Amino acid sequence: MSGPGAVTAPRTLDEDLAPQLTPRQSVAESTRCLYCYDAPCVRACPTGIDIPGFIRRIANGQPHGAAMTILGQNIMGGTCARVCPTEVLCEQACVLNGAEQRPVSIGRLQRFATDALMREGGPHPFARAPSSGKRVAVVGAGPAGLACAHRLAMLGHEVEIYEAKDKAGGLNEYGIAAYKMVQDFARREAKFILAIGGIKLHYGKALGRQVKLDELAAKFDAVFLGVGLGDTRDLDIAGEELRGVADAVAFIEKLRQAKKGGFPRVGKRVVVIGGGNTAIDAAIQSRILGAAEVTMVYRRGPEQMSATGYEQQLAKSAGVVVHTWLAPRKIKGSGGKVAAVEFARTRLDGKGKLAETKETISIPCDMVLKAVGQTLVEKTLAGLALKGGKIAVDKDYRTSRKGVFAGGDCTKTGEDLTVQAVQDGKLAAHAIDRYLRA
């Protein structure tokens, strides 16, 4: 999150990365907003929240009204306030940047408002329309699936969600650093979303195993796939089978689901391979868990990392050493356990393509975490057309199969961000509504 002060990593897993603003702080921060007409921050928000509008309500002492403005566009505004890269979205677009001032802390103000509404309790703030008599299956209870289900319920449709795991939330519950989503917020937000009613959730129902797409298409009037990216990429180098080599996504999931004191052990010297937020989260949490040395290695330069500059600085503040322009060649072992990773130095050739040089370096370690991206589980999709390794959809989120829609990370509608997945789910719900009523 943005705000005054230096970028500083948390010291414990349950330390809040950006503690909530107090009411006095929220009013002081909200009065810095210029309440721009045709505000650039709104254009930079994938869900199109009226940012000046909700900030003005906070300044006027109306956090509930501010929250309704946010949640009307982004029902997962609480999560997005915590994990979205606001520093490269709305806050980067803030006009105060041009005046050489600190941008308004939009993310923290959004969290203040949404948290205040959720603390109030009481009836769900959004009402359902009269029943349409239509039934929709949603596969996946991650951000896209929950956002789609909530909006479909608002529109009067009955929804059944099929979730592979035993908790709702998707990556919010299983794949984001613990210090970004403290105090079980992912579970509480999912409960809040489902409280609108008209939504039945089935756990332990994985697409392609316990439930088939053909069956859902026959049983329901429409289907929405918010399945995310269920597989992780391998390095495809020698030594991946050695003890001490693990997938970063699985590592973070173990951390998120472990009871206090039951966290997985980390090595003394950890190498994290990758340049995205998952790599950053795994590296920082390894340091928090007691690793003496954590080295994050990326094959290109810092400008090409999908992790933002803020995230990179956060890792460095935790004592993570970041090496760039190094590609993994092989993992070396001793006695069946990882001992080092050999990297080749890389550069861009004359055509701008990445090329390995003959120079190599070896980084000693006793643990390797792979964070080189996730991929779609294609075999579960019953022949749906794909494009670029993701489910192909048109502008209305329709797949190649009639009555089947898709959104979120399993499609290529924008960046793989929570806020984009929420927008996909919301817009897909409206597209499904038009399809059903036609």
Short mmCIF file of all heavy atoms in Angstrom, two decimals, residues 247-306:
data_model
loop_
_atom_site.label_atom_id
_atom_site.label_comp_id
_atom_site.label_asym_id
_atom_site.label_seq_id
_atom_site.Cartn_x
_atom_site.Cartn_y
_atom_site.Cartn_z
N ASP A 247 7.48 -26.02 -4.97
CA ASP A 247 6.74 -25.02 -5.72
C ASP A 247 6.36 -23.89 -4.78
O ASP A 247 5.85 -24.12 -3.68
CB ASP A 247 5.49 -25.65 -6.34
CG ASP A 247 4.72 -24.67 -7.18
OD1 ASP A 247 5.08 -24.47 -8.34
OD2 ASP A 247 3.75 -24.08 -6.65
N ALA A 248 6.57 -22.65 -5.21
CA ALA A 248 6.30 -21.50 -4.35
C ALA A 248 4.83 -21.35 -4.02
O ALA A 248 4.46 -20.95 -2.91
CB ALA A 248 6.83 -20.22 -5.00
N VAL A 249 3.95 -21.67 -4.99
CA VAL A 249 2.51 -21.57 -4.74
C VAL A 249 2.10 -22.55 -3.64
O VAL A 249 1.33 -22.20 -2.73
CB VAL A 249 1.71 -21.83 -6.04
CG1 VAL A 249 0.22 -21.89 -5.74
CG2 VAL A 249 2.00 -20.75 -7.07
N ALA A 250 2.60 -23.78 -3.72
CA ALA A 250 2.29 -24.78 -2.69
C ALA A 250 2.87 -24.37 -1.34
O ALA A 250 2.24 -24.59 -0.28
CB ALA A 250 2.83 -26.14 -3.11
N PHE A 251 4.05 -23.77 -1.36
CA PHE A 251 4.69 -23.31 -0.13
C PHE A 251 3.83 -22.24 0.56
O PHE A 251 3.59 -22.29 1.77
CB PHE A 251 6.07 -22.75 -0.48
CG PHE A 251 6.77 -22.02 0.64
CD1 PHE A 251 7.31 -22.71 1.72
CD2 PHE A 251 6.90 -20.64 0.61
CE1 PHE A 251 7.96 -22.03 2.74
CE2 PHE A 251 7.54 -19.95 1.62
CZ PHE A 251 8.08 -20.65 2.70
N ILE A 252 3.33 -21.28 -0.23
CA ILE A 252 2.50 -20.21 0.33
C ILE A 252 1.18 -20.78 0.85
O ILE A 252 0.68 -20.37 1.90
CB ILE A 252 2.25 -19.11 -0.72
CG1 ILE A 252 3.57 -18.38 -1.02
CG2 ILE A 252 1.20 -18.12 -0.25
CD1 ILE A 252 3.50 -17.42 -2.19
N GLU A 253 0.61 -21.76 0.13
CA GLU A 253 -0.63 -22.37 0.58
C GLU A 253 -0.45 -23.05 1.94
O GLU A 253 -1.29 -22.93 2.84
CB GLU A 253 -1.14 -23.39 -0.44
CG GLU A 253 -2.43 -24.05 -0.01
CD GLU A 253 -3.02 -24.96 -1.09
OE1 GLU A 253 -2.78 -24.71 -2.28
OE2 GLU A 253 -3.76 -25.90 -0.72
N LYS A 254 0.67 -23.74 2.12
CA LYS A 254 0.94 -24.38 3.41
C LYS A 254 1.03 -23.35 4.52
O LYS A 254 0.54 -23.57 5.63
CB LYS A 254 2.24 -25.19 3.33
CG LYS A 254 2.13 -26.48 2.54
CD LYS A 254 3.46 -27.22 2.53
CE LYS A 254 3.36 -28.51 1.73
NZ LYS A 254 4.67 -29.22 1.68
N LEU A 255 1.68 -22.23 4.22
CA LEU A 255 1.78 -21.16 5.20
C LEU A 255 0.41 -20.61 5.56
O LEU A 255 0.09 -20.39 6.73
CB LEU A 255 2.65 -20.02 4.66
CG LEU A 255 4.16 -20.21 4.65
CD1 LEU A 255 4.83 -19.01 4.02
CD2 LEU A 255 4.67 -20.39 6.06
N ARG A 256 -0.40 -20.37 4.52
CA ARG A 256 -1.72 -19.77 4.74
C ARG A 256 -2.63 -20.68 5.56
O ARG A 256 -3.44 -20.20 6.34
CB ARG A 256 -2.39 -19.49 3.39
CG ARG A 256 -1.72 -18.45 2.54
CD ARG A 256 -2.15 -17.06 2.85
NE ARG A 256 -3.58 -16.90 2.91
CZ ARG A 256 -4.16 -15.76 3.24
NH1 ARG A 256 -3.43 -14.71 3.54
NH2 ARG A 256 -5.47 -15.65 3.29
N GLN A 257 -2.50 -21.98 5.37
CA GLN A 257 -3.42 -22.91 6.01
C GLN A 257 -2.87 -23.51 7.30
O GLN A 257 -3.60 -24.21 8.02
CB GLN A 257 -3.77 -24.04 5.03
CG GLN A 257 -4.41 -23.56 3.74
CD GLN A 257 -5.63 -22.68 3.99
OE1 GLN A 257 -6.54 -23.05 4.73
NE2 GLN A 257 -5.64 -21.49 3.38
N ALA A 258 -1.62 -23.24 7.62
CA ALA A 258 -1.02 -23.81 8.83
C ALA A 258 -1.58 -23.13 10.08
O ALA A 258 -1.81 -21.92 10.09
CB ALA A 258 0.50 -23.66 8.80
N LYS A 259 -1.78 -23.91 11.12
CA LYS A 259 -2.14 -23.34 12.41
C LYS A 259 -0.90 -22.67 13.00
O LYS A 259 0.22 -23.02 12.67
CB LYS A 259 -2.66 -24.43 13.34
CG LYS A 259 -4.01 -24.99 12.95
CD LYS A 259 -4.51 -25.98 13.98
CE LYS A 259 -5.96 -26.34 13.75
NZ LYS A 259 -6.20 -27.01 12.49
N LYS A 260 -1.12 -21.67 13.84
CA LYS A 260 -0.01 -20.92 14.40
C LYS A 260 0.97 -21.87 15.10
O LYS A 260 0.58 -22.71 15.91
CB LYS A 260 -0.53 -19.88 15.40
CG LYS A 260 0.48 -18.79 15.71
CD LYS A 260 -0.18 -17.57 16.30
CE LYS A 260 0.83 -16.44 16.43
NZ LYS A 260 0.21 -15.20 16.91
N GLY A 261 2.23 -21.73 14.75
CA GLY A 261 3.25 -22.59 15.31
C GLY A 261 3.51 -23.82 14.46
O GLY A 261 4.50 -24.53 14.67
N GLY A 262 2.65 -24.09 13.47
CA GLY A 262 2.82 -25.26 12.62
C GLY A 262 3.30 -24.92 11.23
O GLY A 262 3.01 -25.65 10.28
N PHE A 263 4.01 -23.81 11.09
CA PHE A 263 4.47 -23.38 9.78
C PHE A 263 5.54 -24.33 9.24
O PHE A 263 6.32 -24.90 10.00
CB PHE A 263 5.04 -21.96 9.86
CG PHE A 263 4.06 -20.93 10.32
CD1 PHE A 263 4.32 -20.14 11.43
CD2 PHE A 263 2.85 -20.76 9.66
CE1 PHE A 263 3.41 -19.19 11.86
CE2 PHE A 263 1.93 -19.82 10.09
CZ PHE A 263 2.21 -19.03 11.19
N PRO A 264 5.59 -24.49 7.92
CA PRO A 264 6.62 -25.36 7.33
C PRO A 264 8.02 -24.82 7.58
O PRO A 264 8.22 -23.59 7.67
CB PRO A 264 6.28 -25.35 5.83
CG PRO A 264 5.48 -24.11 5.62
CD PRO A 264 4.72 -23.88 6.89
N ARG A 265 8.96 -25.72 7.68
CA ARG A 265 10.35 -25.31 7.90
C ARG A 265 10.95 -24.82 6.60
O ARG A 265 10.60 -25.28 5.52
CB ARG A 265 11.15 -26.48 8.44
CG ARG A 265 10.69 -26.96 9.81
CD ARG A 265 11.51 -28.14 10.28
NE ARG A 265 12.91 -27.77 10.47
CZ ARG A 265 13.86 -28.64 10.85
NH1 ARG A 265 13.53 -29.91 11.05
NH2 ARG A 265 15.10 -28.25 11.01
N VAL A 266 11.84 -23.86 6.72
CA VAL A 266 12.57 -23.37 5.55
C VAL A 266 14.06 -23.65 5.74
O VAL A 266 14.52 -23.88 6.85
CB VAL A 266 12.35 -21.85 5.34
CG1 VAL A 266 10.90 -21.57 5.02
CG2 VAL A 266 12.80 -21.05 6.54
N GLY A 267 14.78 -23.61 4.61
CA GLY A 267 16.21 -23.82 4.68
C GLY A 267 16.93 -22.60 5.25
O GLY A 267 16.35 -21.54 5.44
N LYS A 268 18.22 -22.78 5.49
CA LYS A 268 19.04 -21.65 5.94
C LYS A 268 19.35 -20.72 4.78
O LYS A 268 19.44 -19.50 4.95
CB LYS A 268 20.33 -22.15 6.59
CG LYS A 268 20.11 -22.89 7.91
CD LYS A 268 21.43 -23.32 8.52
CE LYS A 268 21.20 -24.02 9.87
NZ LYS A 268 22.48 -24.47 10.48
N ARG A 269 19.56 -21.32 3.61
CA ARG A 269 19.85 -20.53 2.41
C ARG A 269 18.84 -20.92 1.33
O ARG A 269 18.86 -22.03 0.82
CB ARG A 269 21.29 -20.77 1.94
CG ARG A 269 22.33 -20.25 2.91
CD ARG A 269 23.74 -20.37 2.37
NE ARG A 269 24.17 -21.76 2.24
CZ ARG A 269 25.39 -22.12 1.87
NH1 ARG A 269 26.30 -21.20 1.56
NH2 ARG A 269 25.71 -23.39 1.79
N VAL A 270 17.96 -19.98 1.02
CA VAL A 270 16.85 -20.24 0.10
C VAL A 270 17.05 -19.47 -1.19
O VAL A 270 17.37 -18.27 -1.17
CB VAL A 270 15.50 -19.85 0.74
CG1 VAL A 270 14.34 -20.11 -0.21
CG2 VAL A 270 15.30 -20.58 2.07
N VAL A 271 16.83 -20.14 -2.31
CA VAL A 271 16.83 -19.49 -3.62
C VAL A 271 15.42 -19.54 -4.17
O VAL A 271 14.82 -20.61 -4.27
CB VAL A 271 17.82 -20.18 -4.60
CG1 VAL A 271 17.60 -19.66 -6.03
CG2 VAL A 271 19.26 -19.91 -4.18
N VAL A 272 14.88 -18.37 -4.51
CA VAL A 272 13.55 -18.27 -5.12
C VAL A 272 13.74 -17.88 -6.58
O VAL A 272 14.37 -16.86 -6.88
CB VAL A 272 12.67 -17.22 -4.40
CG1 VAL A 272 11.29 -17.16 -5.05
CG2 VAL A 272 12.56 -17.54 -2.92
N ILE A 273 13.20 -18.69 -7.48
CA ILE A 273 13.37 -18.44 -8.91
C ILE A 273 12.08 -17.89 -9.48
O ILE A 273 11.04 -18.55 -9.46
CB ILE A 273 13.78 -19.73 -9.65
CG1 ILE A 273 15.10 -20.27 -9.06
CG2 ILE A 273 13.93 -19.48 -11.15
CD1 ILE A 273 15.50 -21.63 -9.62
N GLY A 274 12.13 -16.65 -9.98
CA GLY A 274 10.95 -16.00 -10.54
C GLY A 274 10.97 -14.51 -10.29
O GLY A 274 11.76 -14.02 -9.48
N GLY A 275 10.09 -13.78 -10.97
CA GLY A 275 10.09 -12.33 -10.85
C GLY A 275 8.73 -11.72 -10.63
O GLY A 275 8.55 -10.52 -10.85
N GLY A 276 7.77 -12.52 -10.16
CA GLY A 276 6.43 -12.01 -9.93
C GLY A 276 6.11 -11.86 -8.46
O GLY A 276 6.96 -12.04 -7.58
N ASN A 277 4.84 -11.54 -8.17
CA ASN A 277 4.42 -11.34 -6.78
C ASN A 277 4.52 -12.62 -5.96
O ASN A 277 4.79 -12.57 -4.77
CB ASN A 277 2.99 -10.81 -6.74
CG ASN A 277 2.91 -9.35 -7.13
OD1 ASN A 277 3.91 -8.65 -7.15
ND2 ASN A 277 1.72 -8.90 -7.45
N THR A 278 4.29 -13.77 -6.61
CA THR A 278 4.43 -15.04 -5.88
C THR A 278 5.86 -15.22 -5.40
O THR A 278 6.10 -15.66 -4.27
CB THR A 278 3.99 -16.22 -6.76
OG1 THR A 278 2.62 -16.06 -7.12
CG2 THR A 278 4.18 -17.54 -6.04
N ALA A 279 6.83 -14.90 -6.26
CA ALA A 279 8.24 -15.00 -5.88
C ALA A 279 8.55 -14.06 -4.72
O ALA A 279 9.24 -14.44 -3.76
CB ALA A 279 9.13 -14.68 -7.08
N ILE A 280 8.03 -12.83 -4.80
CA ILE A 280 8.25 -11.86 -3.72
C ILE A 280 7.66 -12.37 -2.41
O ILE A 280 8.31 -12.35 -1.36
CB ILE A 280 7.62 -10.50 -4.08
CG1 ILE A 280 8.28 -9.88 -5.32
CG2 ILE A 280 7.68 -9.55 -2.89
CD1 ILE A 280 9.60 -9.23 -5.11
N ASP A 281 6.41 -12.83 -2.48
CA ASP A 281 5.74 -13.32 -1.27
C ASP A 281 6.50 -14.49 -0.65
O ASP A 281 6.67 -14.56 0.58
CB ASP A 281 4.31 -13.76 -1.60
CG ASP A 281 3.38 -12.59 -1.89
OD1 ASP A 281 3.82 -11.43 -1.74
OD2 ASP A 281 2.22 -12.83 -2.27
N ALA A 282 6.95 -15.42 -1.49
CA ALA A 282 7.67 -16.59 -0.98
C ALA A 282 9.01 -16.17 -0.37
O ALA A 282 9.41 -16.70 0.68
CB ALA A 282 7.90 -17.59 -2.11
N ALA A 283 9.70 -15.23 -1.00
CA ALA A 283 11.00 -14.80 -0.52
C ALA A 283 10.89 -14.09 0.83
O ALA A 283 11.63 -14.39 1.77
CB ALA A 283 11.65 -13.88 -1.55
N ILE A 284 9.96 -13.15 0.94
CA ILE A 284 9.81 -12.41 2.20
C ILE A 284 9.38 -13.34 3.33
O ILE A 284 9.91 -13.27 4.45
CB ILE A 284 8.79 -11.27 2.03
CG1 ILE A 284 9.35 -10.20 1.08
CG2 ILE A 284 8.45 -10.64 3.38
CD1 ILE A 284 8.37 -9.09 0.76
N GLN A 285 8.44 -14.24 3.04
CA GLN A 285 7.99 -15.14 4.10
C GLN A 285 9.07 -16.13 4.51
O GLN A 285 9.13 -16.55 5.66
CB GLN A 285 6.71 -15.85 3.65
CG GLN A 285 5.53 -14.88 3.58
CD GLN A 285 4.24 -15.52 3.14
OE1 GLN A 285 3.28 -15.56 3.89
NE2 GLN A 285 4.22 -16.02 1.93
N SER A 286 9.96 -16.49 3.58
CA SER A 286 11.09 -17.34 3.95
C SER A 286 11.99 -16.63 4.95
O SER A 286 12.48 -17.23 5.92
CB SER A 286 11.89 -17.73 2.70
OG SER A 286 11.13 -18.55 1.83
N ARG A 287 12.21 -15.33 4.72
CA ARG A 287 13.01 -14.55 5.66
C ARG A 287 12.32 -14.47 7.02
O ARG A 287 12.96 -14.64 8.07
CB ARG A 287 13.22 -13.14 5.11
CG ARG A 287 14.29 -13.05 4.03
CD ARG A 287 15.69 -13.17 4.61
NE ARG A 287 16.04 -11.98 5.38
CZ ARG A 287 17.01 -11.94 6.30
NH1 ARG A 287 17.69 -13.03 6.58
NH2 ARG A 287 17.28 -10.82 6.93
N ILE A 288 11.00 -14.23 7.01
CA ILE A 288 10.28 -14.13 8.28
C ILE A 288 10.36 -15.43 9.05
O ILE A 288 10.46 -15.44 10.28
CB ILE A 288 8.81 -13.74 8.01
CG1 ILE A 288 8.72 -12.30 7.47
CG2 ILE A 288 7.97 -13.88 9.28
CD1 ILE A 288 7.33 -11.90 7.01
N LEU A 289 10.34 -16.57 8.33
CA LEU A 289 10.38 -17.87 8.97
C LEU A 289 11.77 -18.28 9.46
O LEU A 289 11.93 -19.35 10.05
CB LEU A 289 9.83 -18.94 8.02
CG LEU A 289 8.32 -18.91 7.79
CD1 LEU A 289 7.92 -19.86 6.69
CD2 LEU A 289 7.57 -19.23 9.07
N GLY A 290 12.77 -17.45 9.18
CA GLY A 290 14.08 -17.70 9.75
C GLY A 290 15.21 -18.02 8.81
O GLY A 290 16.32 -18.33 9.27
N ALA A 291 14.98 -17.99 7.50
CA ALA A 291 16.08 -18.24 6.56
C ALA A 291 17.14 -17.16 6.72
O ALA A 291 16.83 -15.96 6.74
CB ALA A 291 15.56 -18.27 5.13
N ALA A 292 18.40 -17.57 6.84
CA ALA A 292 19.49 -16.61 7.02
C ALA A 292 19.79 -15.86 5.73
O ALA A 292 20.13 -14.66 5.76
CB ALA A 292 20.75 -17.34 7.51
N GLU A 293 19.67 -16.55 4.59
CA GLU A 293 19.92 -15.93 3.30
C GLU A 293 18.79 -16.30 2.34
O GLU A 293 18.46 -17.48 2.20
CB GLU A 293 21.25 -16.41 2.70
CG GLU A 293 22.48 -16.08 3.52
CD GLU A 293 23.74 -16.68 2.91
OE1 GLU A 293 23.68 -17.11 1.73
OE2 GLU A 293 24.76 -16.73 3.60
N VAL A 294 18.21 -15.31 1.72
CA VAL A 294 17.20 -15.55 0.68
C VAL A 294 17.61 -14.78 -0.56
O VAL A 294 17.81 -13.56 -0.51
CB VAL A 294 15.80 -15.12 1.13
CG1 VAL A 294 14.80 -15.35 0.00
CG2 VAL A 294 15.37 -15.88 2.38
N THR A 295 17.74 -15.51 -1.65
CA THR A 295 18.14 -14.90 -2.92
C THR A 295 17.04 -15.12 -3.94
O THR A 295 16.61 -16.25 -4.17
CB THR A 295 19.45 -15.53 -3.44
OG1 THR A 295 20.45 -15.45 -2.43
CG2 THR A 295 19.94 -14.81 -4.69
N MET A 296 16.59 -14.05 -4.54
CA MET A 296 15.57 -14.12 -5.58
C MET A 296 16.26 -13.88 -6.92
O MET A 296 17.00 -12.91 -7.08
CB MET A 296 14.50 -13.05 -5.31
CG MET A 296 13.36 -13.06 -6.29
SD MET A 296 12.07 -11.91 -5.72
CE MET A 296 11.32 -11.51 -7.30
N VAL A 297 16.01 -14.77 -7.87
CA VAL A 297 16.72 -14.73 -9.14
C VAL A 297 15.73 -14.67 -10.29
O VAL A 297 14.77 -15.46 -10.35
CB VAL A 297 17.63 -15.97 -9.30
CG1 VAL A 297 18.50 -15.84 -10.55
CG2 VAL A 297 18.51 -16.16 -8.07
N TYR A 298 15.98 -13.74 -11.22
CA TYR A 298 15.09 -13.55 -12.37
C TYR A 298 15.92 -13.49 -13.64
O TYR A 298 17.02 -12.93 -13.65
CB TYR A 298 14.27 -12.28 -12.20
CG TYR A 298 13.28 -12.01 -13.31
CD1 TYR A 298 12.31 -12.95 -13.64
CD2 TYR A 298 13.32 -10.83 -14.04
CE1 TYR A 298 11.40 -12.71 -14.66
CE2 TYR A 298 12.41 -10.58 -15.05
CZ TYR A 298 11.45 -11.52 -15.36
OH TYR A 298 10.56 -11.28 -16.38
N ARG A 299 15.39 -14.07 -14.71
CA ARG A 299 16.17 -14.21 -15.95
C ARG A 299 16.29 -12.92 -16.75
O ARG A 299 17.16 -12.81 -17.61
CB ARG A 299 15.54 -15.29 -16.83
CG ARG A 299 14.11 -15.00 -17.22
CD ARG A 299 13.53 -16.08 -18.08
NE ARG A 299 12.14 -15.79 -18.45
CZ ARG A 299 11.52 -16.28 -19.50
NH1 ARG A 299 12.17 -17.09 -20.30
NH2 ARG A 299 10.27 -15.96 -19.75
N ARG A 300 15.42 -11.94 -16.50
CA ARG A 300 15.51 -10.66 -17.19
C ARG A 300 15.86 -9.55 -16.20
O ARG A 300 16.29 -9.84 -15.09
CB ARG A 300 14.20 -10.35 -17.93
CG ARG A 300 13.87 -11.34 -19.05
CD ARG A 300 12.57 -10.98 -19.74
NE ARG A 300 12.20 -11.94 -20.78
CZ ARG A 300 12.57 -11.85 -22.06
NH1 ARG A 300 13.31 -10.82 -22.45
NH2 ARG A 300 12.20 -12.76 -22.94
N GLY A 301 15.62 -8.29 -16.59
CA GLY A 301 15.95 -7.18 -15.71
C GLY A 301 14.82 -6.79 -14.80
O GLY A 301 13.68 -7.26 -14.94
N PRO A 302 15.07 -5.91 -13.83
CA PRO A 302 14.02 -5.52 -12.88
C PRO A 302 12.83 -4.84 -13.56
O PRO A 302 11.71 -4.94 -13.09
CB PRO A 302 14.76 -4.56 -11.92
CG PRO A 302 16.01 -4.16 -12.63
CD PRO A 302 16.37 -5.29 -13.51
N GLU A 303 13.08 -4.15 -14.68
CA GLU A 303 11.98 -3.48 -15.38
C GLU A 303 11.01 -4.48 -16.00
O GLU A 303 9.84 -4.16 -16.22
CB GLU A 303 12.51 -2.56 -16.48
CG GLU A 303 13.37 -1.41 -15.98
CD GLU A 303 14.80 -1.83 -15.67
OE1 GLU A 303 15.19 -2.98 -16.05
OE2 GLU A 303 15.51 -1.05 -15.03
N GLN A 304 11.48 -5.69 -16.28
CA GLN A 304 10.62 -6.70 -16.90
C GLN A 304 9.90 -7.57 -15.87
O GLN A 304 9.06 -8.38 -16.22
CB GLN A 304 11.43 -7.60 -17.83
CG GLN A 304 11.86 -6.95 -19.13
CD GLN A 304 13.06 -6.04 -18.95
OE1 GLN A 304 14.02 -6.38 -18.26
NE2 GLN A 304 13.02 -4.88 -19.59
N MET A 305 10.23 -7.41 -14.60
CA MET A 305 9.56 -8.21 -13.58
C MET A 305 8.07 -7.84 -13.52
O MET A 305 7.71 -6.67 -13.64
CB MET A 305 10.18 -7.94 -12.20
CG MET A 305 11.50 -8.62 -11.95
SD MET A 305 12.00 -8.34 -10.22
CE MET A 305 13.53 -9.25 -10.19
N SER A 306 7.21 -8.84 -13.34
CA SER A 306 5.80 -8.54 -13.15
C SER A 306 5.54 -7.98 -11.75
O SER A 306 4.54 -7.29 -11.53
CB SER A 306 4.94 -9.78 -13.40
OG SER A 306 5.32 -10.83 -12.54
#
